Amino acid sequence: MKKIAILISCLLVLLVGACANTSEKAKTTTIHISAAASLKDTMDDVKPLFEKAYPSIKLSFDFGGSGQIRERVESGAPIDGVLLASKKDADTLSNQKLAENTKEFAGNDLVLIEPKNAEQKEGLSLEQLLHNADKIAIGDPESVPAGAYAKQTLENLNLYNTEKAKLVLATDVRQVLSYVEAGNADAGFVYQTDAILSKKVQVKAKIDAKLHDPIAYYSAQVTDSEKKEPTTTFLDFMNKSEAQKILEKYGFKAAD
């Protein structure tokens, strides 16, 4: 009888443990965040930090151009929150009542890069650098904020019509980086944070912020998300010191 009692006790312990584990799993919520391509490496660091602080919330990401993300939200894709590199796209979603609680959480700079092994010529102006390039990679201005800032820069320098035939359009800013790394473009416009990540490119010019709209990143809650509370928890986290330190490590600027 004693052995039977012990066996029953063990079974009860296992049963209680299994129920507890099932209960914990049931409490775990996965939220889906669509983020600008330039945030990918940052999110690789933010994800484990956030999930450790909030173990009941798991993060799932996809990355792309902010215009592409906006279009996905407009088409009803299953997205809970967005991290955009474009005020225009954030405002568009907000004005359509498709996103809410928009908040700025970071800033960036635009730079012109060339392959690391390109001939070193010092003291050249931005105009000279562009003139010397046969192919210039930029994100598609219609869907990639970095591309829109690049186009504004060229227009404000009265160079867009001159250099337009040289432009190689990319689906996002990371593709611009890869084009220049591979030597498929002689120069490219990317964010400072993208240039920092690569050992295969060199920054040839930092673009004057007066030549384009302010570069800022915005978080927003997708209005029809069924997981608003955990999504809000994550989006608020992006403005907290832990996430801001990671953003700073990758070269992002603090929000204005």
Side-chain angles (χ1 to χ4, degrees), residues 225-239:
S225 168
E226 296 179 356
K227 303 173 182 177
K228 288 191 176 182
E229 185 173 341
T231 302
T232 297
T233 299
F234 169 67
L235 297 180
D236 287 346
F237 184 79
M238 291 306 301
N239 284 88

Side-chain angles (χ1 to χ4, degrees), residues 10-184:
C10 290
L11 289 172
L12 286 172
V13 170
L14 291 172
L15 183 61
V16 169
C19 290
N21 288 335
T22 301
S23 176
E24 285 299 315
K25 288 180 181 178
K27 291 179 182 178
T28 300
T29 301
T30 299
I31 58 174
H32 189 82
I33 306 296
S34 288
S38 51
L39 290 167
K40 186 181 186 309
D41 298 88
T42 306
M43 291 303 106
D44 286 343
D45 282 8
V46 167
K47 185 178 189 293
L49 187 68
F50 175 82
E51 291 181 346
K52 183 178 180 180
Y54 301 92
S56 65
I57 307 173
K58 301 302 178 186
L59 299 175
S60 172
F61 289 100
D62 70 74
F63 300 91
S66 294
Q68 296 169 332
I69 294 171
R70 170 183 52 75
E71 289 174 354
R72 291 186 63 224
V73 174
E74 290 172 336
S75 67
I79 300 169
D80 298 300
V82 295
L83 301 175
L84 303 172
S86 162
K87 186 176 189 301
K88 178 183 177 182
D89 289 311
D91 286 346
T92 297
L93 290 177
S94 179
N95 292 337
Q96 295 180 89
K97 310 298 183 185
L98 295 175
E100 56 194 16
N101 301 326
T102 302
K103 186 184 301 182
E104 183 179 344
F105 67 90
N108 214 332
D109 289 311
L110 191 69
V111 297
L112 184 77
I113 59 171
E114 290 184 355
K116 193 76 172 182
N117 59 4
E119 184 180 353
Q120 299 286 333
K121 289 185 178 180
E122 302 301 327
L124 297 182
S125 66
L126 176 59
E127 291 88 341
Q128 289 172 319
L129 290 167
L130 293 169
H131 177 73
N132 291 342
D134 291 325
K135 293 182 179 180
I136 304 167
I138 70 170
D140 185 343
E142 296 301 315
S143 60
V144 183
Y149 300 134
K151 182 180 179 182
Q152 289 173 355
T153 297
L154 293 172
E155 288 175 336
N156 286 322
L157 290 171
N158 295 317
L159 292 175
Y160 183 70
N161 290 332
T162 304
E163 306 295 342
K164 186 176 180 180
K166 299 180 182 180
L167 299 183
V168 178
L169 302 186
T171 57
D172 59 51
V173 70
R174 288 299 172 86
Q175 191 173 65
V176 174
L177 182 64
S178 68
Y179 283 167
V180 179
E181 286 179 331
N184 294 324

Side-chain angles (χ1 to χ4, degrees), residues 208-227:
D208 189 334
K210 295 178 182 178
L211 292 173
H212 55 73
D213 290 341
I215 300 175
Y217 289 71
Y218 298 86
S219 63
Q221 165 86 56
V222 175
T223 305
D224 64 1
S225 168
E226 296 179 356
K227 303 173 182 177

